[in-house]
Amino acid sequence: MGIYEALVRPLLFSLSPEAAHHLVIRNLRAASDWPAALGQLERFKPSTKPTNVFGLTFPNQVGLGAGFDKNGVAVPALAALGFGFVEIGTVTAKPQPGNPKPRIFRYTEQQALINRLGFNNDGADVVAGRVRALRGGDRWPSIPVGINLGKSKVTPLDRAVEDYLYSFRLLAPLADYVVLNVSSPNTPGLRSLQEHDALEQLLQAIRRENENAAKPVLLKIAPDLALSDLEQIIATSEQNGIAGIIATNTTLDHSAIPRSIDQTGGLSGRPLREKSTEFVRAIRSRSQLPIIASGGICDATSAREKLTAGAQLLQVYTGYVYRGPGLLREIVDGL
């Protein structure tokens, strides 16, 4: 057991999940402005094992998933910790506070989280300004930085394309890759954008808009889809120039959580491992699109499982909450 699991995690877990998250983000944000602190964080870096996917070079295969640094305030510190890539967001066109608190719940026995945050973020204009300033300075990291886009809650579904396009125009020029999040369970109606007609309309519009930026655009999908729906999503993605798929978002299957302590929201962590791997395997059997595997990666074994199933890259979040910086080194050095 490392220092994080022995000393830091008990301190963080004595706080509410959201308070602990804000504490970590505040400290990483402060470290991002302090070269000496960045140097200390670099002690946790794993070895470099470069890989190339959708035209980008990643120093290692393990990235930080969206949701951790929603507003792009701590990218230099996260890069210093050794992630092979970092994904900002989810960012929406309009700033929004998210759903009422409490909205994150820990399940330590299951090494899981349930969240119903609801895309709380500063909005596309503010995040674009922040990322632009960072890119213009000397602290922009050498790792790929993706930006994850979602629909504003107040925007009606029939205007979703316009909402995504607003964010895309602002943020795509600043990102190394862009993710279209149509799979969060915490924005009403969002997952209906995975249905064929709505998805095709969105992807066609983004493809036209992307002719100038020419950035890799990825699609993040839910783990609760039927296989017939997955096949249609893959076909629509291939027809519209999608560069890769992130499999998967959080699940609405809470069967691993005792009913007496269950909460509404998306479940992540160890209970999602098998379902996420099944989706990676299903996508690979139907397509050669690059896959970023996300869901239940909590050690080197679960990471190798995703790569064996057909993924090229990995994203961690909940596993990192439970394991800390040691998880990143264990995975990268174990691959």
Side-chain angles (χ1 to χ4, degrees):
M1 182 181 294
I3 293 175
Y4 175 85
E5 291 175 85
L7 300 176
V8 178
R9 188 176 72 185
L11 172 63
L12 292 175
F13 280 27
S14 71
L15 306 173
S16 73
E18 191 158 1
H21 181 78
H22 288 316
L23 175 62
V24 170
I25 285 292
R26 281 198 302 271
N27 284 318
L28 291 174
R29 184 174 192 169
S32 293
D33 293 325
W34 189 13
L38 292 177
Q40 291 298 311
L41 292 179
E42 287 178 351
R43 296 188 305 167
F44 296 103
K45 269 191 173 183
S47 55
T48 300
K49 296 183 178 180
T51 186
N52 294 290
V53 187
F54 42 79
L56 299 175
T57 299
F58 299 81
N60 65 66
Q61 292 173 283
V62 187
L64 181 64
F68 193 92
D69 187 5
K70 290 177 177 290
N71 294 306
V73 300
V75 175
L78 294 168
L81 283 167
F83 287 102
F85 59 106
V86 170
E87 197 169 299
I88 297 169
T90 297
V91 182
T92 55
K94 297 176 172 63
Q96 54 190 42
N99 293 323
K101 299 177 182 179
R103 51 194 182 178
I104 310 177
F105 306 89
R106 276 192 213 101
Y107 297 90
T108 306
E109 184 177 339
Q110 291 81 12
Q111 291 193 34
L113 297 173
I114 288 177
N115 92 82
R116 51 172 180 260
L117 287 161
F119 291 165
N120 54 310
N121 75 104
D122 292 339
D125 290 276
V126 171
V127 175
R130 184 176 291 130
V131 175
R132 190 178 298 111
L134 182 62
R135 267 197 174 275
D138 58 1
R139 293 179 298 113
W140 185 257
S142 58
I143 64 171
V145 176
I147 302 183
N148 185 299
L149 307 180
K151 185 188 77 68
S152 306
K153 185 176 181 179
V154 298
T155 300
L157 279 170
D158 60 5
R159 299 188 65 181
V161 171
E162 179 184 335
D163 192 85
Y164 278 95
L165 282 172
Y166 182 88
S167 300
F168 188 87
R169 289 172 183 136
L170 281 171
L171 291 162
L174 303 169
D176 292 303
Y177 70 90
V178 177
V179 179
L180 303 177
N181 185 348
V182 293
S183 52
S184 170
N186 299 317
T187 296
L190 185 75
R191 287 189 170 191
S192 67
L193 296 178
Q194 296 175 119
E195 296 170 5
H196 177 262
D197 291 349
L199 184 62
E200 186 166 54
Q201 185 182 10
L202 173 62
L203 298 191
Q204 286 178 350
I206 292 293
R207 185 177 192 177
R208 288 192 295 268
E209 191 64 35
N210 194 36
E211 288 177 357
N212 293 325
K215 296 297 175 73
V217 176
L218 284 72
L219 188 69
K220 187 168 186 174
I221 64 170
D224 305 313
L225 293 163
L227 287 180
S228 58
D229 294 329
L230 177 63
E231 289 171 354
Q232 197 165 63
I233 286 170
I234 291 170
T236 304
S237 297
E238 291 177 336
Q239 291 160 10
N240 287 283
I242 287 296
I245 294 178
I246 300 182
T248 63
N249 213 315
T250 57
T251 182
L252 291 173
D253 177 2
H254 293 190
S255 56
I257 304 300
R259 186 170 299 178
S260 61
I261 55 173
D262 195 12
Q263 290 284 343
T264 301
L267 174 70
S268 61
R270 189 184 292 273
L272 183 54
R273 171 180 169 177
E274 185 176 343
K275 178 173 284 195
S276 172
T277 301
E278 286 175 358
F279 264 73
V280 171
R281 193 173 291 115
I283 294 166
R284 179 54 64 236
S285 69
R286 293 163 171 81
S287 173
Q288 290 305 306
L289 282 174
I291 301 169
I292 301 180
S294 176
I297 300 171
C298 53
D299 53 26
T301 300
S302 51
R304 283 193 297 269
E305 177 183 279
K306 295 288 195 290
L307 296 175
T308 301
Q312 283 73 42
L313 298 169
L314 309 169
Q315 280 184 336
V316 297
Y317 184 154
T318 302
Y320 199 77
V321 169
Y322 281 95
R323 297 285 315 282
L327 173 64
L328 188 57
R329 181 173 291 176
E330 175 188 331
I331 293 174
V332 175
D333 292 350
L335 294 180

